[in-house]
Amino acid sequence: MYEKELEILKKKNRFRKRKIYNNLIDFASNDYLGMASNQEVLEKTYNMIKGDEYGAKASMLVNGYNEYHQMLEEYLCEINNYPAGIIVGSGFLANMSLFEALARKGDLVVLDEEYHASGRVGVDLSQAEIRYFKHNDLEDLIYKLQDSIHFNRVFVAVEGIYSMGGDLVKKEILEYLSVKKKVITIIDEAHSVGVVGDNLMGVIDLYKIPTVNTIKIGTLGKALGSYGAYVLASKEIISFLENRAKGIIYTTALSNFDTIYAYFALKDIKNNLNFYKEEIQKRKEFLQIESLIWMKEYKNDILLKNEKLQKEGFLVGAIRPPTVKFPSFRIVARISENINKLKQLKGLIDE
């Protein structure tokens, strides 16, 4: 039924399939702080949940919501200075649900052209007018907002750190949006929490952006090593999502184990803040990058080169179009991997 389409993907060198990788030095995962294998966090999680239910039972709007979810939501609000928050099943689901629920006919949604696919899916489900502005370009954003007065509500969506570029959203963009009273700024901090900021809570923390009229999307995966996501916003917006977001109403609540693990991961970041910040800084300085993502365009056969890297014992991301414009290696400078190994990997890619 789809043989021709699959054959075209193979000819364009865009065919993908799942693989299991074992015993490789991992510079491909978004587990920035090595939290997914943090034994202390694991033990604390196990001790808290021991004797209780590990999994989830139902939608949060039925009887799937419990004190563990509430505990994490309240802590996220406290450390991020937001009045309300809600836990969601995944980052993709959070983005999709947010745009689908909030953006209505007569509204305007303006996204950075490199915003994550989940947000694009969400806005396509809405009846709002959709525009894209040039990546990290304040001048083009201002141009796209010039007639915003004619819309009921206006949303602008950016990422804290762009996952396929590794660059931070420009401070001037967030500062400009923070004084636009009609604009609700959506900031996806999936790749910036645990990586930047005085408290490693992302670009809002880094740039000291007021949280009024902003919505923060974060993941419980990546730097927190768990699974799931969260949305932080005003009490009114969170209540509206509870009542209108299909991805929240009609999905099973996050498991108790994932919820507690994320809670203790956040505590671990707070308790070991200086250690994490020092290790992150070492990697940023070595690779001359803003985040822990190093993108390297590769003009030759990227899959062949990737096979050679694996034979050397390294696992990296070989990213191809349409995810990126040009085939590129995506190297995550995880602090759980030895920086000397990172230097060795960089030498192999640069040669």
Side-chain angles (χ1 to χ4, degrees), residues 66-128:
N66 59 46
E67 65 274 13
Y68 299 126
H69 300 113
Q70 185 178 51
M71 174 183 71
L72 178 57
E73 288 171 350
E74 289 177 350
Y75 188 56
L76 284 165
C77 289
E78 175 189 335
I79 61 178
N80 288 283
N81 193 31
Y82 274 89
I86 191 166
I87 305 300
V88 189
S90 72
F92 197 103
L93 197 60
N95 255 302
M96 187 179 70
S97 300
L98 186 73
F99 287 102
E100 178 268 332
L102 296 183
R104 301 286 174 133
K105 187 175 182 179
D107 295 345
L108 171 65
V109 182
V110 184
L111 302 93
D112 186 290
E113 64 182 358
E114 293 191 10
Y115 196 81
H116 195 270
S118 53
R120 293 170 177 258
V121 171
V123 292
D124 286 343
L125 293 173
S126 75
Q127 294 184 333

Side-chain angles (χ1 to χ4, degrees), residues 143-251:
Y143 174 73
K144 296 294 167 56
L145 288 172
Q146 63 180 339
D147 61 343
S148 59
I149 193 173
H150 301 300
F151 293 88
N152 296 329
R153 286 174 291 252
V154 180
F155 302 90
V156 175
V158 297
E159 292 187 40
I161 292 175
Y162 289 89
S163 59
M164 289 299 148
D167 54 327
L168 277 66
V169 61
K170 289 184 177 178
K171 183 180 181 180
E172 61 187 30
I173 288 178
L174 294 183
E175 289 180 334
Y176 167 76
L177 293 171
S178 69
V179 298
K180 301 287 286 184
K181 293 182 180 180
K182 189 173 182 178
V183 174
I184 298 173
T185 307
I186 298 171
I187 309 172
D188 187 329
E189 297 255 41
H191 294 269
S192 44
V193 168
V195 178
V196 297
D198 289 347
N199 301 294
L200 295 181
M201 287 297 107
V203 295
I204 296 176
D205 176 26
L206 176 68
Y207 297 147
K208 304 297 180 285
I209 301 298
T211 57
V212 178
N213 290 332
T214 69
I215 299 173
K216 175 172 179 170
I217 304 173
T219 179
L220 303 178
K222 300 182 175 65
L224 301 188
S226 184
Y227 185 75
Y230 58 91
V231 179
L232 303 177
S234 67
K235 291 181 179 180
E236 180 184 10
I237 286 176
I238 295 301
S239 180
F240 190 79
L241 292 175
E242 281 183 296
N243 285 276
R244 301 297 296 180
K246 296 181 180 66
I248 294 173
I249 299 170
Y250 301 112
T251 57

